[in-house]
Amino acid sequence: MTSVLPWERANSKVCDRHLQRLAAVYVRQSTRQQLLNHQESTRLQYALKDRAVALGWEADRVLVIDDDLGMSAITAVAHTGFQRLVTEIGLDHVGLVLGVEMSRLARSGKDWYQLIELCALGCGAG
């Protein structure tokens, strides 16, 4: 289990309004071949659930979205998991998003910026 680092406790940006929402872990690898050849990456991505718990989320409040594992696509439209993540954030259900190599989370700059914008809107909410 991943522990919270000492400086994260004192200056934590995680507050009650975040913890009242879900923590979302987005797990993705582009191809089935990557799943077979890079199992450590998949394991590390699933371990992000433990990181959310260490930051204060109850384990049953961590949403693991892995619908896009082994699926390659040019746009996020074909990624039902990514669309689910965007929807949950847009509905203000998510207080934390965790992923590995977040710049690869979305397939294009447009998708990536839409996700960042939705997260920023949620940060400003009460």
Side-chain angles (χ1 to χ4, degrees):
M1 181 171 189
T2 307
S3 63
V4 177
L5 300 172
W7 61 83
E8 292 177 317
R9 288 189 189 104
N11 300 316
S12 180
K13 293 186 179 192
V14 175
C15 58
D16 288 340
R17 68 183 164 91
H18 297 114
L19 294 170
Q20 291 168 0
R21 295 173 174 87
L22 298 170
V25 174
Y26 183 70
V27 179
R28 182 177 183 284
Q29 284 185 280
S30 295
T31 65
R32 296 206 183 278
Q33 194 65 30
Q34 284 180 339
L35 286 170
L36 293 172
N37 294 336
H38 303 287
Q39 293 176 9
E40 179 69 6
S41 175
T42 305
R43 187 192 65 74
L44 288 172
Q45 291 180 69
Y46 279 111
L48 290 172
K49 179 175 182 173
D50 295 332
R51 181 72 176 141
V53 170
L55 289 169
W57 272 264
E58 296 293 325
D60 64 345
R61 301 285 299 152
V62 180
L63 172 65
V64 176
I65 300 174
D66 57 4
D67 308 0
D68 299 336
L69 269 178
M71 296 180 62
S72 184
I74 304 278
T75 67
V77 173
H79 288 203
T80 58
F82 181 79
Q83 291 303 317
R84 180 177 175 203
L85 177 63
V86 169
T87 299
E88 293 293 338
I89 293 168
L91 292 171
D92 204 22
H93 294 170
V94 176
L96 175 72
V97 177
L98 294 170
V100 173
E101 295 189 38
M102 295 300 284
S103 64
R104 293 200 25 86
L105 190 95
R107 295 302 295 171
S108 72
K110 177 182 170 271
D111 298 332
W112 172 238
Y113 291 117
Q114 175 192 17
L115 183 68
I116 292 172
E117 183 69 23
L118 285 171
C119 289
L121 290 172
C123 282

